[in-house]
């Protein structure tokens, strides 16, 4: 049982996902050459959907990963912006960006578009039924958000 992680200049490594997410992410970080950095790493599937694995550190990784699947290594960055979004908003805002650490992911995966699934309120949270979105692997209603950074960084 394994998964394939793609990163850098089309490098690949095999990993065993039969462990806690925290252990898998630490192993990926170390083996891909980011062990001595404070970068926050995550994975996307072949379409660019961010898996948000750091949010599930104490769960089994196989719950979120498909065996024999291909995943792209991404870096999670928080960017602070001081531009006002409207007339009443003058404070800084923070935006989370996911940057693929694979050179030209679109060359390998046609239609690759880095994005985060937005969780929709459930029936209990909203008080009414929603027919928008679809149920994802992690449960709850999901809707794709806009793309957040598609440039790659040098390794």
């Amino acid at each position: 049982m394994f998964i394939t992680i793609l990163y850098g200049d089309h490098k690949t490594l095999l990993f065993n996902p039969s462990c806690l997410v925290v252990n898998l992410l630490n192993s990926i970080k170390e083996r891909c050459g980011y062990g001595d950095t404070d970068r926050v790493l995550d994975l996307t599937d072949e379409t660019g959907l961010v898996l948000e694995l750091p949010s599930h550190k104490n769960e089994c990784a196989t719950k979120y990963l498909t065996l024999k699947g291909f995943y792209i290594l991404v870096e999670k960055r928080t960017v602070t912006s001081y531009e006002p979004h409207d007339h009443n908003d003058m404070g800084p805002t923070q935006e989370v960006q996911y940057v693929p650490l694979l050179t030209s992911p679109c060359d390998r995966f046609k239609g690759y578009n880095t994005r985060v699934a937005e969780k929709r309120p459930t029936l209990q949270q909203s008080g009414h039924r929603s027919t928008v979105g679809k149920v994802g692997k992690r449960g709850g209603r999901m809707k794709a958000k806009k793309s957040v950074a598609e440039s790659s960084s040098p390794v």
Side-chain angles (χ1 to χ4, degrees), residues 96-138:
V96 173
Q97 297 179 344
Y98 290 89
V99 180
L101 298 176
L102 172 66
T103 305
S104 305
C106 293
D107 290 350
R108 172 105 187 230
F109 303 105
K110 299 296 181 206
Y112 183 86
N113 180 24
T114 307
R115 66 199 185 287
V116 178
E118 183 178 302
K119 290 188 180 182
R120 305 289 294 175
T122 62
L123 179 61
Q124 294 82 13
Q125 293 170 336
S126 66
H128 67 280
R129 246 175 237 248
S130 172
T131 57
V132 179
K134 65 179 191 177
V135 177
K137 275 188 193 175
R138 293 171 246 164

Side-chain angles (χ1 to χ4, degrees), residues 48-103:
L49 182 65
V50 177
L51 301 180
E52 299 182 275
L53 291 175
S55 300
H56 308 283
K57 287 185 177 187
N58 294 316
E59 296 182 54
C60 186
T62 55
K63 183 175 178 181
Y64 302 97
L65 302 166
T66 304
L67 298 179
K68 298 183 183 177
F70 288 85
Y71 298 94
I72 293 87
L73 187 62
V74 294
E75 178 183 4
K76 179 180 179 181
R77 296 179 183 169
T78 303
V79 179
T80 303
S81 171
Y82 294 95
E83 297 178 21
H85 295 281
D86 60 37
H87 298 294
N88 298 328
D89 182 19
M90 296 305 287
T93 58
Q94 289 190 328
E95 179 185 34
V96 173
Q97 297 179 344
Y98 290 89
V99 180
L101 298 176
L102 172 66
T103 305

